[in-house]
Amino acid sequence: EPEVTQTPSHQVTQMGQEVILRCVPISNHLYFYWYRQILGQKVEFLVSFYNNEISEKSEIFDDRFSVERPDGSNFTLKIRSTKLEDSAMYFCASSELVGGPDYGYTFGSGTRLTVV
Amino acid sequence: AQTVTQSQPEMSVQEAETVTLSCTYDTSESNYYLFWYKQPPSRQMILVIRQEAYKQQNATENRFSVNFQKAAKSFSLKISDSQLGDTAMYFCAIGDNDMRFGAGTRLTVKP
């Protein structure tokens, strides 16, 4: 079964530093997403990406956040000037074309980001 | 905007019994998708079941089935013959290009 792969599984960073979270979506998927989940809380939408540009973003996705698909396979989330409140589990997801017979999001196993 | 409400923060069920998790939603879209995701202690998000809003027939996947009431904007999940491995957080979600999740229901299956 195809998987969405996220690396690293756990990232610890100093407040104020930049982090890059990496994801390899399923190869034939066209839509890519980042979500975050603060421990014990709901899963929150950050951003969706299609055709090499952002389709939607939430209010959480401020100007410290950026996404990129640098090489056609990886999908990265960069957070600059990290804050303590950025500590969360970050999930990458991908999906095929909306309306396809097997449409649905496939999530990666997440990256736990700890800002200290 | 699309919103999802799960009114049961925690539920428990005896092994082999049936449990129903509630979900209501709001959307202005005429066609949309609804999902239930399971998040076990490993914290991975696992798709349990999917329903397309234009399909009247309720989706089923083995022991999992939904009761989709479009007019009432209700999408409940029924788990039959509950197993210990069903213990997890369950999230209801709506959307297509930007899925929105409910707050989750923590289900515990007791032996």
Side-chain angles (χ1 to χ4, degrees), chain A residues 47-72:
Chain A
V47 66
S48 61
F49 191 86
Y50 171 70
N51 200 27
N52 284 320
E53 60 183 24
I54 291 174
S55 332
E56 299 276 350
K57 61 182 181 180
S58 72
E59 59 279 2
I60 300 169
F61 195 88
D62 62 29
D63 56 7
R64 298 182 300 115
F65 290 78
S66 61
V67 290
E68 195 176 37
R69 188 159 162 79
D71 56 11

Side-chain angles (χ1 to χ4, degrees), chain A residues 59-90:
Chain A
E59 59 279 2
I60 300 169
F61 195 88
D62 62 29
D63 56 7
R64 298 182 300 115
F65 290 78
S66 61
V67 290
E68 195 176 37
R69 188 159 162 79
D71 56 11
S73 62
N74 291 285
F75 179 52
T76 62
L77 174 68
K78 182 188 294 185
I79 310 174
R80 297 188 304 277
S81 304
T82 49
K83 303 177 180 179
L84 295 177
E85 52 264 42
D86 294 330
S87 295
M89 181 75 95
Y90 287 81

Side-chain angles (χ1 to χ4, degrees), chain B residues 18-110:
Chain B
T18 295
V19 64
T20 299
L21 309 183
S22 301
C23 173
T24 58
Y25 62 91
D26 193 22
T27 181
S28 56
E29 300 290 330
S30 57
N31 194 26
Y32 46 89
Y33 291 81
L34 294 161
F35 304 87
W36 279 97
Y37 278 87
K38 170 184 177 182
Q39 188 180 43
S42 67
R43 299 198 72 188
Q44 182 138 16
M45 297 290 285
I46 302 167
L47 177 64
V48 174
I49 199 163
R50 177 187 64 221
Q51 175 82 40
E52 297 167 70
Y54 70 89
K55 288 188 176 179
Q56 292 186 337
Q57 186 173 6
N58 289 323
T60 62
E61 285 287 342
N62 301 314
R63 298 183 295 107
F64 298 88
S65 61
V66 298
N67 184 3
F68 174 47
Q69 302 289 328
K70 190 172 183 178
K73 294 184 178 175
S74 170
F75 182 61
S76 60
L77 175 69
K78 185 171 81 170
I79 306 174
S80 305
D81 185 26
S82 297
Q83 300 176 358
L84 297 178
D86 295 334
T87 292
M89 282 288 287
Y90 286 82
F91 293 97
C92 178
I94 183 173
D96 41 56
N97 289 335
D98 56 346
M99 190 184 294
R100 296 289 192 262
F101 288 82
T105 296
R106 184 177 303 280
L107 176 67
T108 302
V109 180
K110 298 179 178 179

Side-chain angles (χ1 to χ4, degrees), chain A residues 4 6 21-25 29-36 43-50 53 55-57 61 67 69 75-77 90-99 103-108, chain B residues 35 37 95-101:
Chain A
V4 174
Q6 288 187 245
L21 309 183
R22 301 180 192 279
C23 170
V24 179
H29 283 185
L30 301 176
Y31 295 86
F32 314 110
Y33 314 88
W34 284 99
Y35 285 80
R36 80 171 187 190
V43 180
E44 300 173 295
F45 169 75
L46 292 177
V47 66
S48 61
F49 191 86
Y50 171 70
E53 60 183 24
S55 332
E56 299 276 350
K57 61 182 181 180
F61 195 88
V67 290
R69 188 159 162 79
F75 179 52
T76 62
L77 174 68
Y90 287 81
F91 290 100
C92 174
S94 68
S95 70
E96 59 177 31
L97 193 63
V98 174
Y103 177 71
Y105 288 27
T106 301
F107 282 84
Chain B
F35 304 87
Y37 278 87
D96 41 56
N97 289 335
D98 56 346
M99 190 184 294
R100 296 289 192 262
F101 288 82

